[in-house]
Amino acid sequence: CKTCSLLFNFPAYKENELKKLYGRNYYFFLRDEISEFKRAEGIFKRIISFLNLKDDSKILEIGCGKGYLLFLLKKLGFKVKGVEISKEAYIYARDRFKLDIFNGTLEEFAHRCKEKFDLILLIDLIEHIRDPHSFMKSIEEISKKGTILVIDTPNSDCREIETLRGKWIGFNPYHIRLYNLNSLNYLLKKYDFFIYKFLYYGSGKRN
């Protein structure tokens, strides 16, 4: 996009096609529990631990997968809920960790939800969203003044793109929209969110 510098797949997946992508063989769901808990711990230490959340904070993770991060946050005493489009991952999180997970899209969840959340987590998620405007409108519905939105996503300005080009890990069939700081800010401002802080990590520049 020449206006906001967003990178996107064309033609875009249809909603029913997206749901089929996230079955039991989706690569994230094939990772073992030890690796996933280490990843969840890293996310907590890198981001969430610095947010000064109250003990009774309500946290929603959208695209929570099998629930490893939510389980960790629940053990720390937070009130947690999740949204997950994959039926297999939803069943695992519900049965293995006894988590309160909604199986469906954020739009479907927001239509039914009466709660407002203190913290909303989009960890490796927004790059998978087909319609970011519909998605952000639903974020608005479950937010309140002071809600913190944490977005962790591949950075389309990453230096590795210059060297790896088409082999860059961010380029895969599941990532249908790739953002940099400019395109992300362009989207968020439309829905009265602003970027308070950003950081890069990994082997190359990444949001």
Side-chain angles (χ1 to χ4, degrees), residues 14-41:
K14 296 178 181 178
E15 194 66 47
N16 63 325
E17 293 175 323
L18 281 175
K19 290 184 178 181
K20 292 178 182 178
L21 286 176
Y22 302 106
R24 66 177 72 249
N25 292 321
Y26 175 53
Y27 71 103
F28 250 77
F29 301 156
L30 298 177
R31 296 174 176 176
D32 62 87
E33 283 200 344
I34 294 175
S35 298
E36 285 299 279
F37 274 122
K38 285 183 178 179
R39 175 175 176 268
E41 183 182 13

Side-chain angles (χ1 to χ4, degrees), residues 7 153-159 161 168 170 178-181 200 204-207:
L7 301 181
T153 187
N155 175 19
S156 65
D157 275 344
C158 176
R159 294 192 189 101
I161 294 177
W168 178 53
L178 291 169
Y179 298 82
N180 59 19
L181 198 58
Y200 300 109
K205 275 177 59 179
R206 178 178 173 172
N207 289 53

